[in-house]
């Protein structure tokens, strides 16, 4: 065992952001848990749909409406109304074309 590895074992406060992986027999940084994004509340969803006239802002359809984040949450987008638009299921799927979620969304159109 190397000296540094030994010190990590006996001084956990100094090496608190590390953990030992017994499968690889290596020290690894602890992964920070991602904070789960707040789910869009029903009243907020209804407000966005009402603001957009109860229709898809792309094609004007009024059926199977979804709320779309202009800047995706994983890219720092928020549930702020300025970042949300109303889209029908088909237009929403089209917005996500090329992304992993696209195939899933197509099954719901």
């Amino acid at each position: 065992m190397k000296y540094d590895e030994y010190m990590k074992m006996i001084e956990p406060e100094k090496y608190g952001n590390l953990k030992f992986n017994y499968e690889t027999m290596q020290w690894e940084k602890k992964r920070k848990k991602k904070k789960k994004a707040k789910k869009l509340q029903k009243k907020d969803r209804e407000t966005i749909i009402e603001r957009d006239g109860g229709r898809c802002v792309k094609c004007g359809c009024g059926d199977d409406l979804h709320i779309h984040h202009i800047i995706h949450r994983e890219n720092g987008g928020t549930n702020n109304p300025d970042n949300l638009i109303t889209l029908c299921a088909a237009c929403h799927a089209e917005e996500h074309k090329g992304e992993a979620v696209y195939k899933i969304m197509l099954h719901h159109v």
Side-chain angles (χ1 to χ4, degrees), residues 24-67:
T24 62
M25 299 302 285
Q26 303 221 348
W27 287 95
E28 299 174 348
K29 284 187 175 181
K30 289 182 183 176
R31 292 184 181 162
K32 291 183 179 179
K33 292 182 181 178
K34 286 186 175 180
K35 289 184 179 179
K36 193 170 183 178
K38 283 187 175 181
K39 187 174 180 179
L40 188 63
Q41 299 296 313
K42 186 176 181 179
K43 64 178 177 61
D44 297 330
R45 182 182 186 283
E46 291 168 353
T47 300
I48 300 303
I49 291 172
E50 185 179 317
R51 177 200 69 194
D52 293 340
R55 302 222 166 263
C56 173
V57 297
K58 281 184 85 175
C59 73
C61 175
D63 298 327
D64 198 9
L65 298 175
H66 295 198
I67 301 300

Side-chain angles (χ1 to χ4, degrees), residues 36-105:
K36 193 170 183 178
K38 283 187 175 181
K39 187 174 180 179
L40 188 63
Q41 299 296 313
K42 186 176 181 179
K43 64 178 177 61
D44 297 330
R45 182 182 186 283
E46 291 168 353
T47 300
I48 300 303
I49 291 172
E50 185 179 317
R51 177 200 69 194
D52 293 340
R55 302 222 166 263
C56 173
V57 297
K58 281 184 85 175
C59 73
C61 175
D63 298 327
D64 198 9
L65 298 175
H66 295 198
I67 301 300
H68 173 69
H69 289 81
I70 298 166
I71 300 172
H72 301 290
R73 288 183 292 185
E74 67 243 14
N75 296 331
T78 66
N79 286 342
N80 184 304
D82 294 338
N83 188 46
L84 303 170
I85 57 172
T86 305
L87 296 174
C88 67
C91 289
H92 196 196
E94 191 64 29
E95 282 292 317
H96 289 283
K97 195 171 189 173
E99 299 173 29
V101 72
Y102 177 69
K103 290 180 183 177
I104 296 167
M105 295 180 85

